[in-house]
Amino acid sequence: MRLLLVEDDARIAADLTAALQAAGFRVEAARDGEQAWFLGDTEDYDLAVLDLGLPGLDGLTVLKRWRAAGRELPVLVLTARGAWTERVEGIEAGADDYLPKPFRMEELVARCRALIRRAGGRGSGRQTIGGLTLDTNRMTLSRDGLPLPLSPLEYRLVAYLAHHRDRVVPPGELLEHLYGDDDAREANALEAVVARLRRKLGAGVIGTRRGFGYFLEGAGAGGAAS
Ligand code: CA
């Protein structure tokens, strides 16, 4: 799940990033309104967490611009304590939920998941792939009811393949999803994650179509013998 975090306070941003990453989100951060407006308008995110008090272009204006441009990503706004006018304005500007500061990280994570659940329309958030159950609400993958110990990166890879289970996903697209435009973007890194996952999940879960990409076995994307 790709999340845009807009927060100008560097320390708060670092704390939020750590908590959200630990919960399995891939976090990209914007420090001011201009950057936030640009990223939200040109990139695809599953969710944005938007602080309203920003230098320059304020959060409300950013949100209004996204909505005016037809960007429908779910947005959770962070408001100052007791500032009920901010909450009203935020909702009117198109926010999907709000959270007054200060808040607990657990609550932020729970609200982010709830928003994605509402937006995603994937029902219970559970999908069965072969003998495995992917729970996108809890962000777990389990076999026979026992969660498998996946790293956030590994989970994101499986969840992405499951979300696109009707097709073979090219390595470049997976790398983009896993690492964004970071320098960590190497085919070798992807192969290493896939290899690790295969050791954890066993054979017959993640298939390769040589020269094309990866897919989940039993999901119908692999086609005939490769
Ligand atoms: Ca702020």
Side-chain angles (χ1 to χ4, degrees):
M1 291 291 157
R2 202 169 169 215
L3 185 150
L4 175 63
L5 171 67
V6 188
E7 169 62 65
D8 57 306
D9 184 308
R11 237 191 64 206
I12 297 177
D15 288 350
L16 295 181
T17 299
L20 290 164
Q21 282 176 342
F25 292 97
R26 184 153 75 70
V27 181
E28 284 164 49
R31 295 285 298 278
D32 61 59
E34 283 291 343
Q35 195 190 7
W37 151 239
F38 172 73
L39 287 173
D41 195 48
T42 54
E43 301 284 322
D44 271 324
Y45 295 100
D46 297 296
L47 176 73
V49 173
L50 175 67
D51 182 32
L52 289 187
L54 297 171
L57 201 60
D58 66 274
L60 265 182
T61 305
V62 171
L63 179 55
K64 284 178 185 163
R65 287 194 187 178
W66 283 342
R67 295 309 189 218
R71 308 295 293 181
E72 290 176 348
L73 77 166
V75 175
L76 171 67
V77 297
L78 305 178
T79 65
R81 175 161 49 173
W84 65 269
T85 50
E86 279 196 344
R87 300 203 286 274
V88 173
E89 285 171 343
I91 298 290
E92 281 182 347
D96 298 274
D97 198 2
Y98 63 85
L99 196 54
K101 292 177 175 179
F103 49 81
R104 296 195 59 90
M105 293 299 170
E106 290 87 344
E107 181 169 14
L108 175 72
V109 168
R111 297 235 194 168
C112 286
R113 286 180 178 164
L115 276 182
I116 284 176
R117 199 156 60 228
R118 264 194 264 157
R122 282 234 165 210
S124 67
R126 281 178 179 224
Q127 300 177 51
T128 308
I129 310 137
L132 300 170
T133 302
L134 178 75
D135 186 328
T136 55
N137 298 336
R138 295 204 165 100
M139 294 189 169
T140 58
L141 184 71
S142 53
R143 175 182 280 141
D144 303 326
L146 294 174
L148 293 157
L150 300 189
S151 70
L153 198 66
E154 293 163 354
Y155 169 82
R156 286 208 303 272
L157 196 154
V158 175
Y160 195 80
L161 289 180
H163 190 71
H164 300 280
R165 57 197 303 168
D166 54 337
R167 64 186 177 88
V168 174
V169 181
E173 184 182 332
L174 271 177
L175 283 167
E176 167 73 30
H177 173 72
L178 293 175
Y179 300 106
D181 295 324
D182 299 351
D183 6 326
R185 219 178 142 166
E186 285 177 37
N188 290 345
L190 180 63
E191 282 172 20
V193 178
V194 170
R196 257 198 334 263
L197 267 170
R198 282 183 170 142
R199 280 198 296 277
K200 287 185 182 178
L201 306 181
V205 176
I206 298 178
T208 307
R209 257 188 87 192
R210 206 166 293 283
F212 289 91
Y214 300 99
F215 62 96
L216 290 178
E217 302 266 15
S226 49

